[in-house]
Amino acid sequence: MIRQYRIGCAVRSDDEDTFCALDGLHADGRIDHVQVQIIPEPEPVFQRRLDSLAAAAAPIVIHAPHHAHGVNPCAPALCDGFAPEEIASHVEQAMHQTTEAADTLDSAIIVLHAGRFTDEEERQDAAEAFAGFLDRYHDPRLTLENLPAVHAGYPFLGSTADELAALGDGRIGGYCLDFAHLYCTVNYRHLTYTDELRRFEDLNVRHQHISNSIRGSVTDQHLELDHPEGGLDFAAVFGRIAAHPSVETTLEYKRDSYGIYPRQLAVFDGLYRRYGK
C-alpha cells in the first residue's frame, strides 16, 4: 500500500498474541513498524519473548520501561510496588533488557520518559537526577519523549520542546513528539497548541505518538482518534505529519490490544486525507 506517511502500532513486549497480529498487519502492508514497550521480566522469560519478537518481519521501534514499570529516571525512588533496596537493581536489569532488545531487533531509537517527581520545588533536583541517569545509561539511540505536565497528582519532567532541549543538553540524540501529551500540557499551562507544536521544529524529532484526549482535558487518556469528545487539533497535527513524511508515527492507546487498530488505522488515513496538506 502506497502512503504519504509512515504509521505503526504499539504493543507491550509481554503481549505476544497482539504482536503476532500486528506483524500480520505489516505483512499486509497496512503498517510500517511495531513499537514494542519493554516490560522488565525475569531473564529466561524475557529471552523467550525476545526470540519471538526477533522471528517477526516487521521493523521494531523500542520504547523503554517508564515509571509504571519501575524505571523513573528523574526520581528513581518514586515507583509504586518496589522496595527502596530493590530499585537500583531493577532499573539496571530493565535498561539492560531494553538495550539488548534494541540491539537484537535493530531498533534505531529507544523512546524514553524522563519521569515524574513529587512537587515543583523538586524540579531542579529531578533534572539533575535525570542527567545522572543519562550519564549511566548513555546510548545514542535514546529518544526523549514529551510528557503531560501533570498526571495523577504528580508533575512530569520534560513537557515542552524547550524543556526537552534543556534536558537533552547535547546528550540526547533525538526526540519523540507525543501530540496528545502536548495537548494536555497546553491545557494545563494555558498555552497555545500551535505555538508549542511549532517549537518542535527546532528539535531533531525522530518519532511521533498519536492518540486523543477529552476536549480541554489536562489528563493523558490515549483515546481513539475519533472519540466523540476528543479535542486534539487535527489540522495542526496532520499538517505537521504531512510536513515531515519520513518521521514515523505510532498509534498509542491505553489498551494496545489488536482489536482497536484496524479501525483506527482507517480513521488515521481519513484524517490525513482531510487535514494533511
Side-chain angles (χ1 to χ4, degrees):
M1 181 183 298
I2 298 175
R3 290 183 293 270
Q4 294 177 293
Y5 56 84
R6 299 185 65 77
I7 188 71
C9 303
V11 66
R12 291 166 50 116
S13 60
D14 59 355
D15 187 349
E16 297 181 38
D17 290 342
T18 296
F19 177 80
C20 288
L22 295 181
D23 191 41
L25 284 180
H26 173 262
D28 291 340
R30 298 197 60 186
I31 61 175
D32 300 293
H33 71 272
V34 178
Q35 177 182 282
V36 176
Q37 168 85 63
I38 298 300
I39 306 300
E41 295 187 277
E43 198 62 27
V45 177
F46 175 76
Q47 289 299 327
R48 179 178 62 79
R49 297 201 195 279
L50 187 55
D51 290 343
S52 178
L53 293 171
I60 304 296
V61 170
I62 292 296
H63 195 308
H66 52 61
H67 72 276
H69 315 123
V71 178
N72 191 57
C74 75
L78 193 60
C79 290
D80 299 331
F82 291 89
E85 63 272 14
E86 297 175 334
I87 292 173
S89 60
H90 173 78
V91 171
E92 186 74 21
Q93 179 192 33
M95 292 307 297
H96 171 75
Q97 291 182 348
T98 298
T99 54
E100 183 180 7
D103 291 343
T104 302
L105 304 172
D106 197 27
S107 176
I109 68 174
I110 299 172
V111 179
L112 178 70
H113 290 187
R116 63 179 185 173
F117 53 103
T118 304
D119 58 57
E120 283 298 326
E121 293 181 356
E122 298 181 357
R123 181 173 290 274
Q124 184 58 39
D125 291 341
E128 291 174 2
F130 181 66
F133 179 91
L134 292 183
D135 288 341
R136 182 172 182 82
Y137 298 106
H138 175 73
D139 189 306
R141 295 170 294 188
L142 289 177
T143 301
L144 186 59
E145 178 180 349
N146 64 297
L147 302 176
V150 296
H151 188 78
Y154 291 100
F156 278 71
L157 191 66
S159 299
T160 65
D162 293 346
E163 291 173 3
L164 292 185
L167 290 171
D169 193 28
R171 291 178 294 177
I172 285 288
Y175 298 89
C176 176
L177 166 55
D178 188 302
F179 294 110
H181 288 175
L182 186 63
Y183 180 71
C184 295
T185 293
V186 301
N187 289 335
Y188 182 79
R189 295 184 178 172
H190 306 292
L191 303 172
T192 302
Y193 191 78
T194 52
D195 289 346
E196 294 305 312
L197 187 61
R198 194 176 301 116
R199 295 182 192 277
F200 278 83
E201 296 296 330
D202 295 329
L203 298 184
N204 175 25
V205 175
R206 291 172 165 174
H207 200 70
Q208 297 170 152
H209 292 162
I210 191 169
S211 59
N212 210 340
S213 287
I214 297 296
R215 190 172 297 106
S217 177
V218 303
T219 302
D220 173 31
Q221 296 153 324
H222 284 262
L223 301 176
E224 294 90 338
L225 296 179
D226 57 342
H227 192 283
E229 298 179 67
L232 196 65
D233 185 342
F234 289 138
V237 168
F238 283 90
R240 154 90 199 183
I241 292 172
H244 300 274
S246 65
V247 179
E248 301 206 357
T249 302
T250 298
L251 292 165
E252 268 197 340
Y253 301 106
K254 286 296 185 185
R255 290 179 294 276
D256 286 318
S257 60
Y258 173 74
I260 198 170
Y261 283 122
R263 183 172 178 277
Q264 286 300 296
L265 287 167
V267 171
F268 182 97
D269 188 70
L271 290 169
Y272 184 90
R273 292 174 185 275
R274 179 177 180 183
Y275 295 105
K277 302 173 182 178

